[in-house]
Amino acid sequence: MAAALRSRLPELAGRMALRIRSEVDAYQDESLIPLDSLRRSCHANADFVLSHLRRKGSPDAEAARETGRARAEQGVPLADTLRAYRIGSELLWTEIVAEARTRPEVSDDLLVSESADFWALFGLYAEAVALAYRETAAELTSRGQARRYALVEALFTGVITDHTLWEAARELGLPEQGPYAVAVAEAGAPGEEPLAGVEAALRRAELPSAWRLLPDQQLALVALPTAAAEGACLRVLRDSRARVGFSPCFSSLQDAPQNLRFARLALSRLPGTGPGVARFDDDPLAMVVAAAPAEAARLVEVTLRPVLDLPAAERSRLLSTLEHWFASGGSANATARGLFVHPNTVRYRLRRVEELTGRSLSDPRTTTDIGAALLAVRDRAG
């Protein structure tokens, strides 16, 4: 019977392919699984089964494994793959029974015995299909993740070319044009994901993102397609209870390396040790000072050195007065309230700073220089 059926395999495989295509949705896409390819797969699997029924011995499951590998690579769901395998097997068994009915020498007892062998063989082959599918899917997932990591690394290091920026964006699931932003979170230990679950939360908020995990930080490149997107992204980041630095918004992926630096600067300025989100744009002057420590140190020397050379008590009073004065928008009265002193005391101290530095605090250029120098002094003290 097996020999007779093998002689009709081309026609039988064609019917199997058409039956599977009509009953399993995933197999109906010609661009995904061409009918000729499906027919060849049916032919190979049926041939292996019939060959085993003729020879007995140890079954060869290579055709089943090849089916599992191919369907995983094509992206066919495993459940649909196994269903298709069962449909093909049922049709083959129906043909075996029909052939048996034409042969008087084939008893019902023999057919029942062969039925048990056939369906045991089906179980073995179905298991081979599933195992090969899962192994291939895991390999593809790992390979895809490695490629995504490499693309994100290329974006953050700036080694990707203009020509391939749109390809990288498409593969990472990002829009080809911004705005985008970069988030950097501080990891407590190597391999720890401080923003675990945030990617899924951003996806639910319809904010595509691409990620890279480093030993001490987790990096995210986030697309912000609407006016409300930045606020939604910041809410998700704050809910993570991590320490996060957030870059300004930018329009081109070419600017990802620079904005990664901005996000790291923002993270470095986050006060304390607890969770929080620091935006670069919340205090850009402080970020600029932090970005250029050598230049900031020189600015301190040429701007505030006479104040810093004072005895500790007077130096502390004048620096504290300057900080409160800047924080209050240049109001002597508000500064006095913050320091619990008379406004005239504040004015006296400000005149003292002017005398020591030779600079007028009514000059906008002077206030800019001294404000930046104060930030550098605070950084150095911290």
Side-chain angles (χ1 to χ4, degrees):
M1 288 190 299
L5 289 173
R6 287 189 76 205
S7 68
R8 304 203 309 268
L9 261 183
E11 178 268 336
L12 180 57
R15 283 195 287 126
M16 283 182 183
L18 291 173
R19 174 79 62 82
I20 291 169
R21 173 156 286 193
S22 68
E23 296 187 20
V24 186
D25 291 343
Y27 284 74
Q28 293 174 4
D29 186 347
E30 176 71 18
S31 64
L32 182 63
I33 306 176
L35 186 58
D36 284 345
S37 172
L38 179 55
R39 188 182 296 114
R40 287 193 299 271
S41 178
C42 291
H43 189 289
N45 280 282
D47 191 28
F48 269 97
V49 172
L50 293 173
S51 296
H52 174 71
L53 292 177
R54 289 183 66 193
R55 296 191 306 267
K56 300 299 184 179
S58 299
D60 185 347
E62 180 54 34
R65 287 191 290 269
E66 179 57 35
T67 296
R69 286 191 289 267
R71 299 301 174 254
E73 290 172 349
Q74 291 163 333
V76 179
L78 177 57
D80 285 351
T81 301
L82 293 175
R83 185 181 173 207
Y85 209 79
R86 172 171 283 278
I87 290 170
S89 298
E90 289 173 347
L91 192 153
L92 179 59
W93 177 246
T94 299
E95 291 296 317
I96 291 174
V97 171
E99 180 67 24
R101 295 308 183 199
T102 68
R103 299 172 181 268
E105 70 273 19
V106 180
S107 67
D108 288 345
D109 289 343
L110 178 59
L111 195 57
V112 169
S113 174
E114 289 299 323
S115 171
D117 287 348
F118 179 90
W119 289 110
L121 192 63
F122 165 77
L124 177 68
Y125 282 6
E127 184 178 339
V129 168
L131 180 60
Y133 183 103
R134 292 190 180 102
E135 288 176 346
T136 304
E139 180 182 347
L140 291 171
T141 298
S142 176
R143 194 185 308 162
Q145 288 176 340
R147 176 159 176 79
R148 283 180 62 86
Y149 289 153
L151 285 173
V152 176
E153 182 74 10
L155 288 174
F156 279 140
T157 55
V159 299
I160 201 161
T161 65
D162 293 348
H163 180 68
T164 55
L165 276 174
W166 69 272
E167 294 177 350
R170 183 180 59 184
E171 192 161 343
L172 292 170
L174 299 172
E176 295 176 21
Q177 293 294 326
Y180 313 98
V182 175
V184 176
E186 184 180 286
E192 178 185 283
E193 290 190 49
L195 296 177
V198 169
E199 183 176 7
L202 291 175
R203 192 182 304 115
R204 288 192 295 271
E206 299 183 351
L207 301 177
S209 58
W211 295 75
R212 186 76 173 96
L213 182 63
L214 303 177
D216 59 339
Q217 292 178 337
Q218 189 172 18
L219 318 180
L221 178 60
V222 187
L224 305 173
T226 67
E230 183 179 5
C233 180
L234 290 169
R235 283 193 295 273
V236 170
L237 292 173
R238 291 189 181 103
D239 289 344
S240 72
R241 307 298 295 167
R243 291 177 61 81
V244 185
F246 197 76
S247 79
C249 296
F250 57 100
S251 60
S252 171
L253 289 173
Q254 284 182 314
D255 297 327
Q258 181 183 40
N259 282 277
L260 171 59
R261 184 163 178 259
F262 289 157
R264 282 174 164 156
L265 283 170
L267 177 60
S268 72
R269 301 286 304 180
L270 187 64
T273 58
V277 177
R279 296 175 68 248
F280 183 95
D281 284 350
D282 286 342
D283 197 351
L285 180 59
M287 302 301 169
V288 170
V289 170
E295 291 79 0
R298 181 59 187 165
L299 179 62
V300 170
E301 286 296 315
V302 301
T303 305
L304 287 179
R305 175 49 57 193
V307 176
L308 298 179
D309 287 340
L310 293 171
E314 186 177 4
R315 178 180 68 238
S316 177
R317 283 194 299 271
L318 294 184
L319 292 176
S320 177
T321 300
L322 280 173
E323 288 185 347
H324 279 80
W325 185 72
F326 274 100
S328 68
S331 168
N333 290 332
T335 302
R337 287 192 296 272
L339 292 173
F340 303 103
V341 298
H342 194 278
N344 286 338
T345 301
V346 172
R347 296 185 183 96
Y348 167 77
R349 292 176 182 176
L350 294 177
R351 285 197 300 271
R352 176 76 170 134
V353 169
E354 289 178 325
E355 291 169 359
L356 289 166
T357 62
R359 295 167 176 261
S360 170
L361 290 173
S362 62
D363 185 342
R365 291 173 298 181
T366 294
T367 55
T368 300
D369 291 345
I370 291 182
L374 275 174
L375 291 170
V377 170
R378 184 175 63 191
D379 282 354
R380 191 163 60 183

